[in-house]
């Protein structure tokens, strides 16, 4: 038999079959997560640990919560993602939009009842407290602001940043926080709208996505952000960054994950969800200065980096279901009256 004939009849099909099996194996060892940016909440370390311990590759993804939900809805008939991470209100909206499915991960019973959908359409993995992440060196000698009212002072013109509250969850949390601090409620966002109108005179910077690097560089000296990002800047990146819980009060909110309905790698997605709630996965969040949903995962060292409990006493929980219900109406009002 000629060599060319042998290649055509035997070697080529064998090679194609081998490549096909390699492709199948590679696909099977992948899970797609929407909104897993490496610079946020130390997802970078979490994704590396998942790869090392489970052999599952999870590509980085820089969407925000709102963009992730919009993508899930757009892809409803042909899903691309397997799991999704977002603020709690978006998890509730995703359940209503029927783009996520029920799954009760490992350690399900350790998640407090108020921090999960009873069936498992979404569940908290950690929480954060909103405040001011302040790059002290970038203030140019100005005092560190201590209150919502301080941010309105002319001396901070062009120095304040917050993520777009009509799209990014942390931006919406900031709106809820200042609204509550100024006497509003989830049924009346007028105080927040009036505050943002006043803040507009100070020429704030309003990005749509994670602005950690811009705060670190000093481009945004004062960023409305979570405690965990400020602590990371201070204790891991060794920057002169302070975290402030405003005097008038703020809110604490959970971040949640869900299994996407009919995701292409559902089995791998479930393993990822189990992992982020495991002892090791929760410890990674705790070491990144987040409050893991399983409190037992916080080490004494990690706890020592947080502000005193007396400061955290100014941070309160809200009705997250109600917060989700009014989010779209707030976004529409913000876009019409502020942006």
């Amino acid at each position: 038999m000629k060599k060319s004939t042998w290649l055509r009849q035997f070697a080529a099909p064998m090679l194609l079959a081998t490549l096909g099996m390699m492709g199948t194996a590679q696909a099977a060892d992948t899970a797609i997560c929407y909104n897993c940016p490496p610079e946020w909440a130390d997802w970078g370390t979490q994704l590396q640990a998942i790869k090392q311990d489970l052999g599952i590759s999870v590509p980085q993804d820089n969407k925000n919560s709102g963009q992730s939900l919009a993508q899930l809805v757009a892809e409803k008939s042909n899903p691309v993602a397997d799991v999704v991470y977002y603020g709690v209100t978006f998890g509730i909206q995703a359940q209503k939009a029927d783009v996520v499915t029920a799954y009760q991960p490992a350690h399900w019973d350790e998640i407090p009842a108020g921090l999960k959908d009873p069936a498992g359409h979404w569940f908290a993995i950690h929480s954060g407290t909103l405040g001011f992440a302040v790059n002290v060196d970038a203030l140019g000698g100005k005092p560190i602001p201590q209150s919502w009212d301080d941010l309105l002072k002319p001396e901070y013109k062009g120095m304040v940043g917050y993520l777009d509250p009509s799209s990014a969850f942390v931006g919406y949390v900031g709106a809820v926080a200042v609204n509550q601090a100024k006497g509003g409620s989830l049924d009346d966002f007028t105080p927040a709208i009036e505050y943002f109108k006043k803040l507009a005179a100070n020429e704030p910077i309003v990005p749509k996505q994670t602005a950690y690097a811009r705060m670190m560089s000093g481009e945004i000296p004062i960023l409305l952000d979570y405690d965990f990002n400020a602590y990371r800047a201070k204790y891991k990146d060794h920057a002169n960054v302070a975290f402030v819980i405003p005097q008038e009060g703020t809110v604490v909110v959970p971040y949640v994950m869900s299994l996407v309905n009919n995701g292409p790698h559902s089995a791998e997605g479930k393993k990822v969800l189990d992992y982020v709630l495991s002892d090791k996965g929760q410890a990674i969040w705790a070491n990144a200065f987040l409050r893991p949903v399983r409190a037992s995962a916080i080490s004494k060292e990690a706890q020592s980096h947080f502000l005193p409990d007396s400061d955290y006493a100014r941070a309160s929980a809200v009705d997250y279901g109600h917060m989700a219900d009014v989010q779209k109406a707030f976004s529409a009002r913000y876009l019409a009256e502020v942006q």
Side-chain angles (χ1 to χ4, degrees), residues 97-293:
D98 195 30
V99 292
V100 295
T101 191
Y103 178 64
Q104 297 183 1
H107 302 284
W108 171 258
D109 292 340
E110 295 177 54
I111 304 173
L115 298 180
K116 60 187 176 185
D117 164 58
H121 289 87
W122 55 265
F123 41 84
I125 57 170
H126 56 229
S127 63
T129 296
L130 189 111
F132 311 155
V134 183
N135 184 326
V136 180
D137 293 339
L139 290 180
K142 296 180 177 67
I144 297 172
Q146 299 295 318
S147 68
W148 291 107
D149 284 345
D150 282 349
L151 302 187
L152 302 176
K153 294 178 179 178
E155 63 192 290
Y156 298 115
K157 188 171 185 178
M159 303 182 84
V160 179
Y162 62 92
L163 266 64
D164 181 357
S166 69
S167 176
F169 181 66
V170 63
Y172 179 48
V173 173
V176 171
V178 72
N179 190 60
Q180 303 253 119
K182 292 297 179 182
S185 70
L186 292 174
D187 293 314
D188 177 18
F189 273 94
T190 298
I193 295 296
E194 293 304 316
Y195 180 86
F196 284 121
K197 285 180 180 177
K198 292 176 183 176
L199 188 59
N202 253 1
E203 300 177 4
I205 303 165
V206 189
K208 289 188 179 296
Q209 291 162 315
T210 306
Y212 181 84
R214 297 173 73 177
M215 181 273 292
M216 288 287 287
S217 70
E219 181 190 349
I220 304 177
I222 305 163
L223 179 66
L224 300 193
D225 206 349
Y226 292 115
D227 50 356
F228 54 83
N229 281 329
Y231 297 148
R232 173 193 168 199
K234 182 175 182 177
Y235 296 111
K236 282 204 170 177
D237 293 336
H238 306 293
N240 188 10
V241 169
F243 180 66
V244 177
I245 295 178
Q247 294 297 321
E248 306 98 327
T250 188
V251 295
V252 55
V253 293
Y255 272 73
V256 307
M257 291 192 75
S258 302
L259 183 68
V260 175
N261 203 9
N262 296 318
H265 315 104
S266 182
E268 288 70 31
K270 290 176 180 178
K271 291 178 183 177
V272 169
L273 296 177
D274 289 345
Y275 189 88
V276 298
L277 284 164
S278 69
D279 290 348
K280 185 169 181 180
Q282 288 281 285
I284 290 172
W285 301 133
N287 291 334
F289 316 108
L290 294 112
R291 302 273 184 176
V293 73

Side-chain angles (χ1 to χ4, degrees), residues 86-97 122 256 320-322 324-325:
Y86 34 26
V88 61
T89 61
F90 286 96
I92 295 169
Q93 290 180 34
Q95 179 184 357
K96 291 179 178 177
W122 55 265
V256 307
Y320 302 117
H322 195 177
D325 289 340

